[in-house]
Amino acid sequence: MESFPECFLWGGAIAANQAEGAYDVAGKGLSVADVLPVGADRFKQMDLTLDPAAYYPSHDAIDFYHQFKSDIELLAGMGIKCLRLSIAWSRIFPNGDETTANEAGLKFYDQLFDTLIQHHIQPVVTISHFETPLALVKNYGGWKNAALITFYERYCQVIFERYKDKVNYWMTFNEINHAHTLPFLAAAVVVQEDEQKLQTIYQASHHMLVASARACIVARKINPKFQIGCMLSLSPVYPATCKPEDVFSAYELRRRSLFYSDVQLRGAYPRYFERWQAENHIQLTITDADRRTLQEGTCDYLGFSYYRSSLHEQGMPILGNTGGLLGKKNPYLKETQWGWPIDPLGLRYVCNELYDRYQKPLFIVENGLGAEDVVDPQGHIVDVERMAYLKDHVEMIKEAIKDGVELIGYTWWGPIDIVSAGTGEMKKRYGFIYVEKDNQGHGSGKRIIKNSYYYYRQIITSNATQMDYEPFIR
Ligand code: BG6
């Protein structure tokens, strides 16, 4: 393979809670994202009720719920072939445990998918992207509770039936491995002070893994052509030094993430997990039926996000945020305004690492640069850094394809500015389309095309044979 195949899915990716707004419209219930206020410490306050004095960015987001038709028209102008988006679970099942779906929620996604299809854009759907209905946390303790498997399966059954002729590519859980670093968003659990954290996280993870497998099984019965993927945050971990202890420790930390795709793609718990469980005093409840489900319900492809790499040293605290793990500073890499190292070669590295491990198709479903944008006096946004980031990463994808990696597509994160998941900010912008709104939700909401928009269009229409962005710096 010399370069990008003709069928390569160039696209963009968003999540319902970061784009739609309309958080209580047409019967929608609250989701975990809806109780997170703006600010870098949004996960610390973990209050499951709304504070009238606080600002919750997901409530209005960029109002995609009402403006999706014009937004899709703008996105279509770049020639994208697919849009990855999520269905807000709590629009379909407001509390998560109902037995009848909310028709108004289903209708909304009918219109959304129809509009995309009219523009020749294929919807790629994340079934659960940090949007578990809040009532499932309050009433069941979130994914700690095996009862959620049944609720999730019911939800999947409904959306697979409903959209079987409109959607082909699905992903079961966004960044399932973030159960460790972002347990509230990724696994809908609040870890109490006196709880054994790893026990809770792995039991919740087990339930999600079984739910993911059930989704695969149900999906294939409804439409054998469906492609169901798992989705992980897979920004790589490099050893901070060549000291063997650092190398092995980085390797083990990487396995903490790959554990999830090992189960989802291979259908069984990996052998290394037995020792890990014993040494960390984890006792999971796993039934024989669960093991059969995992074996039967493997995923067809691996979707992953890639933003940066991190450096790990043995014994250092393991911390992370939405971009992946946080490590030591890498002196060889520049950083974004939010301190995320920029490492295009890391993307080629990860593509090769994952393909070597699984030999399954990969889908890069998130990559992008979060940066502040300046609207110049003429009303233009000349976002050179974003274009450079895009160019450098696409060049590395090209190399990975030449290396023999099988890639389904590439969806840039946030092709239109959306609310940040990590901080709730608007000013951390990823888009090729600007949305005039600030961190407190003030602003007209007007959309402005950035120069990178034309650059991404050139990449897509030329299938990455024209990579020069000079013409767009003016
Ligand atoms: C990923 C999430 O972790 O990172 C997205 O899947 C998120 O929802 C993205 O938006 C970028 O992170 P942030 O914090 O810059 O929005």
Side-chain angles (χ1 to χ4, degrees):
M1 180 60 68
E2 278 305 297
S3 191
F4 291 89
E6 278 307 314
C7 59
F8 191 78
L9 287 179
W10 294 103
I14 58 173
N17 71 89
Q18 292 171 258
E20 288 175 4
Y23 80 110
D24 60 354
V25 167
K28 181 182 171 296
L30 289 177
S31 79
V32 289
D34 293 329
V35 292
L36 294 176
V38 69
D41 58 354
R42 60 196 328 226
F43 302 111
K44 290 200 184 117
Q45 301 159 18
M46 217 42 73
D47 190 350
L48 303 186
T49 52
L50 293 177
D51 169 0
Y55 172 62
Y56 297 94
S58 73
H59 291 197
D60 297 319
I62 61 157
D63 196 32
F64 184 71
Y65 183 85
H66 295 109
Q67 301 188 46
F68 71 87
K69 287 194 178 148
S70 46
D71 285 342
I72 289 172
E73 218 171 294
L74 286 176
L75 291 166
M78 284 188 291
I80 56 169
K81 316 270 188 236
C82 72
L83 183 67
R84 172 184 174 228
L85 42 75
S86 62
I87 293 179
W89 184 351
S90 65
R91 275 197 203 288
I92 313 299
F93 289 101
N95 292 313
D97 61 355
E98 295 89 343
T99 48
T100 314
N102 173 28
E103 181 56 28
L106 290 168
K107 272 204 183 113
F108 168 68
Y109 292 104
D110 267 324
Q111 288 171 16
L112 183 52
F113 298 153
D114 289 344
T115 308
L116 286 168
I117 293 162
Q118 278 157 18
H119 286 90
H120 310 290
I121 299 172
Q122 186 173 158
V124 172
V125 173
T126 318
I127 298 168
S128 179
H129 189 133
F130 300 169
E131 286 147 349
T132 308
L134 188 69
L136 294 182
V137 184
K138 289 186 175 170
N139 302 332
Y140 296 89
W143 280 102
K144 268 188 244 183
N145 193 326
L148 265 71
I149 299 172
T150 311
F151 305 143
Y152 179 86
E153 188 178 351
R154 189 179 298 145
Y155 162 53
C156 288
Q157 178 95 35
V158 166
I159 58 174
F160 291 156
E161 282 287 357
R162 180 83 172 212
Y163 308 121
K164 60 175 180 288
D165 300 321
K166 300 182 183 180
V167 179
N168 188 37
Y169 284 99
W170 302 85
M171 269 164 275
T172 53
F173 289 100
N174 182 62
E175 300 187 333
I176 187 168
N177 55 322
H178 266 327
H180 288 272
T181 29
L182 300 165
F184 185 63
L185 275 184
V189 295
V190 180
V191 185
Q192 308 296 345
E193 291 282 306
D194 57 352
E195 236 172 316
Q196 216 263 65
K197 187 174 174 197
L198 283 179
Q199 169 71 30
T200 302
I201 300 294
Y202 278 109
Q203 190 62 61
S205 299
H206 173 68
H207 296 147
M208 293 170 80
L209 290 167
V210 173
S212 169
R214 290 248 195 116
C216 292
I217 296 167
V218 169
R220 284 181 194 120
K221 286 190 187 137
I222 294 175
N223 183 350
K225 288 191 186 142
F226 277 163
Q227 292 294 303
I228 317 285
C230 51
M231 193 308 194
L232 281 80
S233 164
L234 286 176
S235 297
V237 188
Y238 302 145
T241 73
C242 50
K243 193 172 151 201
E245 284 76 6
D246 288 343
V247 175
F248 194 73
S249 181
Y251 182 79
E252 284 204 301
L253 185 54
R254 185 63 171 161
R255 276 211 301 219
R256 192 181 79 163
S257 281
L258 294 176
F259 157 78
Y260 291 87
S261 38
D262 283 353
V263 178
Q264 289 178 299
L265 293 170
R266 293 171 170 161
Y269 272 79
R271 286 169 67 100
Y272 59 78
F273 188 65
E274 280 174 33
R275 177 170 184 174
W276 177 252
Q277 265 194 105
E279 289 183 353
N280 290 285
H281 314 290
I282 300 165
Q283 281 185 329
L284 297 189
T285 308
I286 304 178
T287 65
D288 288 344
D290 288 348
R291 290 192 196 277
R292 284 195 297 275
T293 302
L294 292 176
Q295 201 169 23
E296 199 189 332
T298 52
C299 292
D300 299 305
Y301 67 94
L302 169 54
F304 67 98
S305 60
Y306 175 88
Y307 289 94
R308 63 186 196 211
S309 54
S310 69
L311 277 192
H312 178 72
E313 197 175 69
Q314 189 200 27
M316 72 185 288
I318 300 171
L319 303 169
N321 60 19
T322 42
L325 292 163
L326 288 164
K328 296 191 71 172
K329 200 172 170 61
N330 188 330
Y332 299 101
L333 300 177
K334 289 199 182 119
E335 294 183 346
T336 71
Q337 291 159 9
W338 270 261
W340 293 18
I342 301 175
D343 180 8
L345 184 54
L347 180 53
R348 179 179 175 190
Y349 173 90
V350 171
C351 287
N352 277 281
E353 175 203 30
L354 299 175
Y355 197 65
D356 283 352
R357 192 173 180 107
Y358 301 117
Q359 291 92 43
K360 290 249 184 167
L362 307 179
F363 199 161
I364 304 167
V365 293
E366 281 187 37
N367 172 239
L369 173 77
E372 277 191 71
D373 283 317
V374 183
V375 186
D376 72 17
Q378 288 74 43
H380 298 142
I381 299 159
V382 188
D383 49 341
V384 185
E385 276 178 45
R386 191 167 292 108
M387 290 188 260
Y389 184 100
L390 175 60
K391 176 183 192 298
D392 294 346
H393 285 77
V394 170
E395 295 282 17
M396 285 301 131
I397 300 171
K398 204 185 272 181
E399 294 305 315
I401 293 174
K402 287 187 193 163
D403 293 334
V405 173
E406 209 181 328
L407 271 176
I408 298 169
Y410 172 76
T411 59
W412 174 269
W413 180 251
I416 179 167
D417 291 346
I418 51 177
V419 166
S420 153
T423 63
E425 291 166 294
M426 262 313 290
K427 75 169 185 189
K428 189 180 186 193
R429 298 171 181 279
Y430 288 85
F432 304 124
I433 301 163
Y434 184 87
V435 177
E436 197 177 75
K437 225 179 155 185
D438 68 15
N439 285 353
Q440 291 303 318
H442 305 305
S444 66
K446 185 176 138 192
R447 277 54 171 157
I448 304 171
I449 303 281
K450 305 181 197 176
N451 282 19
S452 55
Y453 176 98
Y454 301 106
Y455 178 53
Y456 195 37
R457 179 163 75 186
Q458 172 183 286
I459 292 182
I460 296 172
T461 52
S462 72
N463 215 13
T465 53
Q466 285 173 35
M467 296 299 296
D468 181 15
Y469 60 80
E470 273 296 314
F472 306 103
I473 307 177
R474 52 168 184 255

